[in-house]
Amino acid sequence: MKGKKLSWFAWLLIVGVLGSIAFFSVRAFGPGIGDRLASWFPERHVAESSVPLKVTLPDRGDVTLPQRLTAKQDLGVFPQVSPSELQPGCGDLPEVRWGLWFWNTHNGMILANGGPQSARGSAMCAKGVNLTLVREDEVPNQLSGLVKFAQAYAGGEEYPRDGYAFVSFMGDGTAAILTEVNATLEKLGLEYRAQVVGSLGYSRGEDALMGPVSWRLDPQNMRGAVILAYLRDGDWDIGMKFAGDNGICNNPDERTYDPNCINWMAADSYTDAANKYVANACETRPVVSKGKKTGEERKVCADGVATWTPGDNIVADQRGGLVRIVATDTYYYQMPNAVIGIRKWMRDHTRLVDGMLEASFDANQTMRDSDDAMRRASALAAIVYHEQGADAAYIYKYFKGVTESDKQGLMVERGGSSVNNLADNCKLFGLQSCAPGSTSLYRATYETFGNIVVQQYPNLVPSYQPYEHVVDTSFLERIVARGAPRAAPDQPTFAAHTSVQQVISRRSWNISFDSGKATFSNGAFQDLQQLSSDLVIAGRAKVVVEGHTDATGNADQNFALSEARAFAVKHWLEKRDPVNFPKNRVEVVAYGQTRPVASNVTPEGRAQNRRVEVVIGTSN
């Protein structure tokens, strides 16, 4: 007898029932079975951990840092800002809005503005700028604000009331951030891309990787750690550099856990990272090893935080237990503030942008010259940031930096910032009109950390936009053309005949020379340029170039040859960039054939022994 054929609906019902039974059985009786089954097959979607690119970065070197405050120091009296002083001073001008973090590099710009809106008698009003400052700590909101502004401008609104004309980010994080937002903006046209036009200052300590004391005693204790951060921004960069310096691998997948590497827990902002640590954030994750799931699951909790002020204070005061492992007072030139706007709008309003930058740079110099000005800037910044408990004294203290006890009694370094004048911008962007002989520090930090993001997240960030696409120095050049900088930039000096006492990093460079000579072969220049880029960011550090040879031939001749090759590197650096490689910064040591790193019996070993090693460190 011929059976009755099931309808498609009946088949669908049967499949659904069987699937549900299987799903709930696995959940009820076999937690983790999915991962164990998955482990039997090659894993395609788990990123493998790797050691981040090693980067030679800023160090304090021989510089004397501004005096930090002591925990119990009397901070003195701060000016009171009356409501009448905050009255708009140029409300008849079109309003432009700036979405800004709570970041003390903005304090000079706030001083120039006279408060949240350009005030009566302010430097901004004098320059024809009616600027409204809006605290915005969320990166997605800042970026969406830029996009809204650009869309409104493209739609014909001359001074859009929605969104932000300006935002500011950490310069080392802009490669990833600008590549992301420009993918959206450039749909309006290439002239609508976001660009960097100046810098208001540097983070000089307030951005930090905070962790248990054991990490400071031995960085290898970081293996298996889980760190809270806003991923791929400047604070994350600090952790990546520290890992790279110490040969510790990084797990780029924040959904898995690699017990041999550092792992990250994503936060929405730097304050969110701090608050999650205080709340003892934990997650259950699949364990991975060498890019494959092991079938094990493990509950992991945050061990550390990458954040900045006031995030460091939230961590220290509300839970404690973490100290500063490394920060931007060590990585000295890593984190310039980057002023960002929409290219077309800024080019169509050059007078306004020039005026805003000029007023900010002048106010920054005033802050440097006058403690009273710094106190007033702190009082105004407290009004703009409107952070609970952050009055003028708080802003002042953490701009300068201080070491204080946390909730568990540990002494924790907190805060630390600086502000930039026009000369600092000339040096930062390598402008030949006002910093002749310099190269762009900004390019170095932009490309260095852009390369790290690409290395760690090749699928998410396969590339980043060229420096020339995202940096527009025409505004700075125009300001300089109207008048040279009135004050000097922050310029390091190096004492003669001082040796490196504390080594920060040591790296071997495969710079090739013509056989038996101290002249560079054609293949050497790419490595030399990379070496220069690494070292200019480390502008405060002493540099020692060590020359080595293999054991072929006469030992005395080899010694002379190694010395000549080390001097060739030194002279190349000093000639290419005399601003960032001033007198006495680079020293030379020759070792000839006395310190081999491989056997001289084989050609491969001899090739390894013919090398130049570059050491950076401090002499104090």
Side-chain angles (χ1 to χ4, degrees), residues 292-347:
K292 294 184 179 180
K293 292 181 180 177
T294 64
E296 178 190 358
E297 285 192 341
R298 192 178 300 185
K299 180 181 178 181
V300 294
C301 301
D303 306 293
V305 185
T307 186
W308 84 81
T309 309
D312 54 356
N313 288 326
I314 293 172
V315 169
D317 295 336
Q318 297 185 28
R319 182 178 170 188
L322 304 183
V323 297
R324 181 183 285 184
I325 304 302
V326 67
T328 47
D329 56 346
T330 300
Y331 300 163
Y332 203 73
Y333 286 126
Q334 174 186 330
M335 201 174 292
N337 166 295
V339 179
I340 296 169
I342 302 300
R343 174 184 170 86
K344 179 169 174 52
W345 187 86
M346 292 191 294
R347 291 255 173 159

Side-chain angles (χ1 to χ4, degrees), residues 15 36 58 61 129 131 176 189 230 236 273 309 351 373 417 429 463 492 520 558 561 563 580 602 612:
V15 171
R36 289 196 292 274
V129 181
L131 183 64
Y230 185 82
W236 176 84
T309 309
R351 199 169 181 180
S417 297
F429 292 97
S463 63
F520 299 119
N558 284 337
L561 181 60
E563 183 181 56
N580 289 302
T602 66
V612 168

Side-chain angles (χ1 to χ4, degrees), residues 89 147 206 241 340 344 347 389 439 487:
V147 172
E206 66 172 309
K241 168 170 170 45
I340 296 169
K344 179 169 174 52
R347 291 255 173 159
T439 57

Side-chain angles (χ1 to χ4, degrees), residues 252-268:
D253 187 348
E254 64 270 20
R255 300 164 303 176
T256 63
Y257 175 72
D258 189 330
N260 190 47
C261 305
I262 61 170
N263 303 270
W264 297 91
M265 190 179 289
D268 294 332

Side-chain angles (χ1 to χ4, degrees), residues 564-581:
R565 286 177 171 174
F567 268 110
V569 174
K570 168 185 164 73
H571 293 154
W572 188 90
L573 292 169
E574 292 174 342
K575 183 177 180 181
R576 182 175 188 267
D577 188 350
V579 171
N580 289 302
F581 295 98

Side-chain angles (χ1 to χ4, degrees), residues 278-290:
V278 172
N280 192 27
C282 299
E283 297 175 353
T284 298
R285 296 183 179 185
V287 176
V288 297
S289 177
K290 298 180 179 178

